[in-house]
Amino acid sequence: MDPETVELHGMRFSCVDSDELLDHIFSSLADGRGGWLVTANLDILRRHATSRPARLLYDSADIIVADGMPLVWASHLQGQPLPERVAGSSLAPRLAERAAREHRSVYLLGGEPGAAEGAQRELERRHPDLLICGRSSPWVSCPVTDEEMRPVLEELLDKRPDIILVALGSPKQEYVGRRIRRALPAAWIIGIGIGLSFIAGQVERAPLLVQKVGLEWAHRLLQEPRRLARRYLLEDAPFAFVLLARAVVRRRERSRRRA
């Protein structure tokens, strides 16, 4: 059974915590069913709200979870609370740990140079029984072309992994994920952004407390200010205020309808 959903600014988020999501993924695999999971942050929600092509792309995912504290805060303000932030970067190591226990194969796709290789070494060190059946770091356009996808799909169809961790950044990883979903319906495709670089130790992740209070974006901004400043400060921050204000309005509207 698919999880219940909560709508935020037009996007539907599955109302699950990390444990419930993992149970859903692995029970689906046991039944021979795959899926495509999008871990949507504030930037993804902004694109969904402002771009029709982006909306069509993200809405074709099987499950969308909230990878951002502003989204969780908005759900609480709206009176339909999501249980927690489910970050792709946090999910990836847990997926690998459970895949090792349940004898499921994993494929690492994308990442910065050396990230997939480093992540494979680290995950195999942590979980000696883990089967990483392959890895590749192709360069792809946005959106990806048929020519670029051809060798990727040939490799995946040959390896037939159960779980594919796609670390190409958004929206590239979603364009690629949608194409893989059509070709490998029995596999789970999961976008994890910079997750392979975190696992490999190439990039330092924010301390857990910083993540919990919703300031991981500030830590990332300090690491890569030239690349992230415009997105975080000029595009996402104003949208966050709109999102939170709209959540308050929707809660009042729901209260009036119940009265």
Side-chain angles (χ1 to χ4, degrees), residues 107 152-161 164 180 184:
Y107 190 97
V152 174
L153 292 177
E154 287 176 355
E155 166 84 352
L156 293 174
L157 286 167
D158 177 59
K159 301 292 186 181
R160 294 282 173 179
I164 304 162
I180 297 172
L184 284 88

Side-chain angles (χ1 to χ4, degrees), residues 106-183:
V106 177
Y107 190 97
L108 309 180
L109 178 61
E112 294 297 318
E117 181 181 2
Q120 178 173 355
R121 283 198 303 267
E122 176 60 18
L123 290 173
E124 290 175 340
R125 182 192 67 79
R126 298 180 194 176
H127 313 294
D129 293 332
L130 176 62
L131 173 59
I132 296 181
C133 63
R135 67 173 190 268
S136 60
S137 301
W139 185 92
V140 297
S141 307
C142 188
V144 63
T145 67
D146 292 342
E147 184 178 356
E148 291 163 349
M149 279 302 303
R150 191 171 298 114
V152 174
L153 292 177
E154 287 176 355
E155 166 84 352
L156 293 174
L157 286 167
D158 177 59
K159 301 292 186 181
R160 294 282 173 179
D162 296 308
I163 297 167
I164 304 162
L165 302 180
V166 188
L168 293 169
S170 186
K172 280 187 180 183
Q173 65 190 20
E174 283 80 42
Y175 280 111
V176 170
R178 182 169 63 178
R179 299 286 291 271
I180 297 172
R181 175 72 173 109
R182 297 168 183 164

Side-chain angles (χ1 to χ4, degrees), residues 141-249:
S141 307
C142 188
V144 63
T145 67
D146 292 342
E147 184 178 356
E148 291 163 349
M149 279 302 303
R150 191 171 298 114
V152 174
L153 292 177
E154 287 176 355
E155 166 84 352
L156 293 174
L157 286 167
D158 177 59
K159 301 292 186 181
R160 294 282 173 179
D162 296 308
I163 297 167
I164 304 162
L165 302 180
V166 188
L168 293 169
S170 186
K172 280 187 180 183
Q173 65 190 20
E174 283 80 42
Y175 280 111
V176 170
R178 182 169 63 178
R179 299 286 291 271
I180 297 172
R181 175 72 173 109
R182 297 168 183 164
L184 284 88
W188 270 93
I189 303 102
I190 299 156
I192 62 169
I194 198 173
L196 294 182
S197 292
F198 285 151
I199 295 170
Q202 290 182 333
V203 177
E204 180 185 1
R205 193 164 184 197
L208 187 58
L209 178 60
V210 174
Q211 296 177 42
K212 287 184 175 180
V213 299
L215 289 175
E216 188 169 16
W217 66 269
H219 181 85
R220 293 286 296 120
L221 180 60
L222 290 173
Q223 291 175 316
E224 299 185 75
R226 296 184 65 180
R227 187 175 74 86
L228 298 175
R230 177 178 177 81
R231 184 204 306 176
Y232 285 177
L233 301 179
L234 300 182
E235 297 175 341
D236 289 350
F239 180 74
F241 286 109
V242 173
L243 172 66
L244 297 173
R246 180 168 176 168
V248 172
V249 171

Side-chain angles (χ1 to χ4, degrees), residues 47-113:
R47 277 186 256 126
H48 180 275
T50 57
S51 165
R52 186 173 185 274
R55 189 157 53 252
L56 293 174
L57 171 65
Y58 297 124
D59 284 349
S60 59
D62 294 284
I63 293 184
I64 302 175
V65 293
D67 182 359
M69 287 307 298
L71 309 184
V72 177
W73 296 334
S75 73
H76 282 261
L77 287 173
Q78 191 168 291
Q80 297 174 299
L82 294 168
E84 67 178 24
R85 176 192 179 200
V86 182
S89 297
S90 301
L91 197 62
R94 297 193 62 192
L95 279 161
E97 186 274 335
R98 186 149 173 181
R101 282 195 284 117
E102 299 199 14
H103 307 291
R104 294 291 180 179
S105 59
V106 177
Y107 190 97
L108 309 180
L109 178 61
E112 294 297 318

